[in-house]
Amino acid sequence: AGGDIVLAGGSSADANNKPSGFAYRGGYAGAAVSFGSGMRLLSGGGKVVIRGQAEGNGSSIRDYGVSGAGFVIDSGTGTINIDAKNTFDHAIDFGLGNFAITSASTAATAISLTGQVSGNSYAGLLVNFEGSSGHSLIQSTGAASGDIAITATNNGTGNALWLGNNNVTGTLQILSNTGNIALASNAN
């Protein structure tokens, strides 16, 4: 049996003594949580929880709650929950694509991606935006239930949920063996 993987932060903990807040990055280029090419998170049946929050300064500095390209997250029969917040840039930036997020959980929700932005013109979730984007996959393979819930919000204008771009050559597949797939957005 595997174990939980928690990438988060804050001064409070949950009932299992794991961080219950967000990893934080304020005013500097980069991401609170960043996955580099070739990174693999394999929990072997444990939950994967990732929470990142960025507080940009509104200048040319690019910062994200959670970002990455060329990575694999596979929780086996565990659930995956990625939650990100930002003020002046994208909350979750998977703009270069070329990633795989996979869960075989039979929980009601196997995979949850939530991105919230309070600034204008930025996405809660951005996937396969760049022209060089690779092929990306979000999949729930459980034998029962196993929904995929993707929620992206912004408090300004622009695309809250941005999947692909006009000239993108990559692909994005969102697949579920038995569960529902829900995409929710509050803007454009």
Side-chain angles (χ1 to χ4, degrees):
D4 294 349
I5 298 173
V6 179
L7 305 176
S11 59
S12 59
D14 65 16
N16 296 313
N17 205 30
K18 294 177 182 163
S20 60
F22 288 76
Y24 179 80
R25 178 127 186 152
Y28 298 96
V33 179
S34 181
F35 307 128
S37 182
M39 189 282 309
R40 296 170 58 85
L41 282 181
L42 310 173
S43 71
K47 292 184 284 188
V48 175
V49 177
I50 300 160
R51 292 188 209 97
Q53 179 175 356
E55 299 285 338
N57 62 11
S59 70
S60 61
I61 294 174
R62 302 303 306 262
D63 59 352
Y64 313 104
V66 176
S67 71
F71 64 88
V72 171
I73 298 173
D74 188 337
S75 63
T77 56
T79 59
I80 298 171
N81 181 352
I82 300 174
D83 190 357
K85 299 177 182 180
N86 203 342
T87 54
F88 290 104
D89 215 321
H90 307 302
I92 300 173
D93 184 347
F94 297 155
L96 291 175
N98 198 31
F99 65 86
I101 298 173
T102 302
S103 171
S105 174
T106 57
T109 301
I111 299 172
S112 174
L113 301 174
T114 305
Q116 179 181 355
V117 176
S118 57
N120 291 333
S121 301
Y122 294 106
L125 174 64
L126 177 77
V127 177
N128 281 29
F129 180 79
E130 305 297 334
S132 60
S133 295
H135 304 290
S136 302
L137 174 66
I138 300 169
Q139 69 176 348
S140 171
T141 61
S145 300
D147 291 358
I148 298 173
I150 298 174
T151 305
T153 60
N154 68 13
N155 295 334
T157 60
N159 298 315
L161 179 60
W162 203 330
L163 306 177
N165 199 15
N166 293 334
N167 298 318
V168 70
T169 58
T171 60
L172 169 62
Q173 293 180 317
I174 303 172
L175 308 172
S176 180
N177 187 43
T178 57
N180 296 317
I181 298 171
L183 305 175
S185 172
N186 74 325
N188 295 336

